[in-house]
Amino acid sequence: MDKAVYTRLPWQDEPWQRLQQARQQGRLPHALLFGGPRGVGKEAFALAFAQTVLCPDSDGDGRPCGICRHCHLLHSGSHPDFQWVVPEEESKSGEIKIEAIRKLTASASLTAQSGGHKVVIIQPAHRMNTAAANSLLKTLEEPTRDTLIILLTDQPARLLPTIRSRCQQVLFQIPPHQDSLTWLGGKIKHADGETLLSLASGAPLLALKLDDADLLAARQRMLGQFLSLGKQQKDPVALAQAWTGFDGRLLLEWLAGWVIDLLRLKTAPQPPQLFNRDQTQALHSLADKLNSGALHRYLGSVYEARALIDSNLNPQLVLEKLLIEWRACR
Ligand SMILES: [Zn+2]
């Protein structure tokens, strides 16, 4: 597992120091909840912190030694006391099920095989179904010594309040714009940092992920198709079909961004903020022809669709309905 490489992101110093202090003073809680938007580095932080906890020779700043057995096992993805719980790949619902939580509960009650700590990361924690969440709650109510459970989510409100209240919460925020630009510089190839950050709502890791030639081309093509639906692009059902198979969640985020930008462009010809700065002209020419009330209602439908796609409704049906509504909106 090559993602288990110790990396610290420059904008995470504050929570890092705070947790290191707690660790050194023996005040680490049994469960941590890392919340905050996607793409700000919660996962990297959790991994780095897991390494700190598992390596017996971490220094005062939490830097693991990198050479001990624990560090090697973590790097090779075979540390017996480290678990990363995610939804099963085959699971159509994308849920984390009770079996996965039971397994971790059972192993958490055993002594660490390596005689040290155990770390479990659950991601995305809001994807636990009800049974799984209740099972985890029992574990949190009777914590095992030396086991640290870290929940990662960009939607903490979707967790049971009883789970949230039993975790120490760490909130990750969008870093200052300039910090993100500096961090991205040198890492990106296909678009400029400003454009990528706008598209990613300021989240630097998401911006880096979007720096992909195919993805950027797909976005441009889809935006063109969306804007011309009802004109060159005639059939919403055919378009929905063409879009099915693409990452539904990302597509709906883009769609929401297009509609929000259309609304912004209706209020000011050069709004200070736009998700799609590079597409201002195309959006602008359409914005004048649309009605604000209808755009607001449509945005509501996009948000509803996002919730439906998350709860596993057939993505093609969701898209069809949205695109038919969009054509009517025109
Ligand atoms: Zn080590």
Side-chain angles (χ1 to χ4, degrees), residues 55-58 64-71:
C55 169
D57 297 319
S58 300
C65 75
I67 51 172
C68 73
R69 197 171 60 87
H70 293 269
C71 286

Side-chain angles (χ1 to χ4, degrees), residues 15-328:
W16 183 261
Q17 304 304 350
R18 195 153 34 97
L19 286 182
Q20 290 308 330
Q21 229 170 26
R23 181 179 70 89
Q24 282 163 4
Q25 296 168 353
R27 292 189 286 110
L28 263 192
H30 296 288
L32 290 163
L33 168 59
F34 293 174
R38 237 164 27 112
V40 294
K42 298 185 295 295
E43 184 178 317
F45 187 99
L47 256 175
F49 194 66
Q51 277 181 281
T52 298
V53 171
L54 290 168
C55 169
D57 297 319
S58 300
D59 68 11
D61 186 40
R63 185 174 295 275
C65 75
I67 51 172
C68 73
R69 197 171 60 87
H70 293 269
C71 286
H72 280 301
L73 285 169
L74 256 177
H75 279 248
S76 63
S78 51
H79 198 297
D81 297 319
F82 176 71
Q83 281 187 69
W84 192 292
V85 181
V86 293
E88 273 174 47
E89 260 173 49
E90 318 80 79
S91 152
K92 273 177 85 185
S93 63
E95 286 176 333
I96 295 178
K97 295 185 178 154
I98 187 165
E99 292 75 23
I101 302 297
R102 275 206 191 117
K103 217 165 93 188
L104 87 85
T105 322
S107 69
S109 63
L110 303 169
T111 315
Q113 292 189 36
S114 54
H117 280 83
K118 292 180 163 205
V119 180
V120 177
I121 297 177
I122 303 176
Q123 179 202 30
H126 66 265
R127 287 295 180 90
M128 280 184 288
N129 65 20
T130 313
N134 283 321
S135 169
L136 178 71
L137 186 59
K138 284 204 192 86
T139 312
L140 295 178
E141 282 165 346
E142 295 158 20
T144 323
R145 215 163 60 88
D146 298 331
T147 297
L148 173 67
I149 297 175
I150 306 179
L151 307 183
L152 298 188
T153 177
D154 55 0
Q155 297 174 48
R158 287 179 62 184
L159 289 172
L160 291 177
T162 38
I163 286 189
R164 282 202 306 268
S165 68
R166 280 176 175 78
C167 300
Q168 183 176 319
Q169 300 194 32
V170 181
L171 186 64
F172 291 81
Q173 283 163 342
I174 297 287
H177 188 69
Q178 196 52 49
D179 291 5
S180 302
L181 273 183
T182 311
W183 182 80
L184 277 174
K187 293 188 179 66
I188 49 177
K189 289 196 275 274
H190 304 290
D192 64 282
E194 291 283 1
T195 302
L196 291 170
L197 276 175
S198 307
L199 271 177
S201 304
L205 276 79
L206 194 55
L208 185 60
K209 210 169 134 193
L210 294 175
D211 182 46
D212 173 300
D214 292 341
L215 211 54
L216 290 168
R219 164 183 163 260
Q220 190 143 4
R221 186 181 65 243
M222 288 164 146
L223 173 61
Q225 291 167 329
F226 181 69
L227 295 182
S228 65
L229 186 64
K231 290 192 170 167
Q232 296 102 302
Q233 193 76 39
K234 296 211 169 17
D235 183 1
V237 176
L239 186 56
Q241 197 169 18
W243 285 3
T244 309
F246 192 80
D247 178 346
R249 211 175 155 200
L250 180 63
L251 174 55
L252 289 178
E253 260 169 46
W254 284 352
L255 228 152
W258 301 336
V259 179
I260 292 171
D261 280 356
L262 285 168
L263 278 162
R264 285 170 171 162
L265 284 160
K266 281 198 76 66
T267 50
Q270 285 178 318
Q273 262 193 323
L274 277 181
F275 289 113
N276 303 276
R277 300 153 47 92
D278 57 333
Q279 303 291 328
T280 310
Q281 218 178 347
L283 289 160
H284 206 286
S285 54
L286 186 65
D288 292 339
K289 301 183 189 109
L290 296 166
N291 168 287
S292 295
L295 277 173
H296 274 293
R297 277 192 297 281
Y298 189 69
L299 185 58
S301 302
V302 177
Y303 288 147
E304 260 169 46
R306 202 162 58 179
L308 288 174
I309 276 202
D310 261 358
S311 61
N312 189 37
L313 216 84
N314 180 332
Q316 189 174 336
L317 285 183
V318 175
L319 284 175
E320 273 177 18
K321 188 170 164 282
L322 261 189
L323 292 176
I324 290 170
E325 191 182 335
W326 174 242
R327 193 179 56 179

